[in-house]
Amino acid sequence: MHGIPATVLEKPGPLSGSESERMRMRTYSTERMLARPPALARLGAIASLAHERCDGSGYHRGLAGPAIPVTARLLAAACSYRAMTEPRAHRPAMTAKDAVAELRAGVRAGRLDAGAVDAVLAAAGQRQGKRRSGPAGLTPREIEVLALIARGASTRQVARHLAITPKTAETHIERIYAKTGASTRSTATLFAMQHGLLESRDPLDL
């Protein structure tokens, strides 16, 4: 990896704070290195986004939602799968089954794009399940929650309507915002309308 010494890459134990920060900055170094030859600049711009995550928890820019292009979402899923199935100094390689489970968990948590993960697993020869997902990787439950808040339901009303706790409803809403790039209920409602998620819904009875 560009700019990372072997003493850090091959360290068998936990990294120190400064070592972790150095690892996080490797995407910045990658972009700068590839920007020097103009022909590689566009590739470098995508390569530098390999560790960004849809919920904004990635690095080095901390991008989220629509700010991460599809190519970068694919690269993030591919790099994650490849890293997990290769041995590292601090752990053995994961089995393909465990790596698939980790990627799926990343999708459920809102970190990885569902479509990108599906594409990477298909390319890796992993059998695809019947998991359903909506636009921006929204799960069926998240689509239900989005439809409710788009029609004016409060967090407590969402929880009562779906028989879940207010905390769970709040978590769903946060993930919806992260996946769709929404910052307010108004922008979330616009997203729902644009993708036809409010059509054919029963009258809201809260």
Side-chain angles (χ1 to χ4, degrees), residues 57-136:
S57 64
Y59 57 89
H60 65 281
R61 290 188 175 87
L63 300 180
I68 305 174
V70 173
T71 46
R73 294 176 185 223
L74 284 166
L75 184 59
C79 286
S80 295
Y81 182 78
R82 179 67 180 270
M84 287 187 286
T85 54
E86 290 181 341
R88 293 290 186 262
H90 60 284
R91 59 154 176 81
M94 284 187 181
T95 64
K97 181 179 179 180
D98 287 341
V100 170
E102 284 294 316
L103 288 181
R104 293 295 186 207
V107 171
R108 291 193 297 272
R111 293 188 297 273
L112 295 172
D113 179 81
V117 167
D118 284 344
V120 167
L121 294 181
Q126 298 299 322
R127 192 174 70 175
Q128 300 297 296
K130 296 182 179 180
R131 184 189 57 79
R132 295 182 298 132
S133 64

Side-chain angles (χ1 to χ4, degrees), residues 47-67:
S48 71
L49 304 179
H51 292 277
E52 300 292 345
R53 295 295 180 261
C54 294
D55 63 353
S57 64
Y59 57 89
H60 65 281
R61 290 188 175 87
L63 300 180

Side-chain angles (χ1 to χ4, degrees), residues 138-153:
L138 293 175
T139 66
R141 175 61 93 185
E142 288 166 349
I143 290 174
E144 288 183 296
V145 173
L146 175 55
L148 289 170
I149 64 174
R151 295 157 71 197

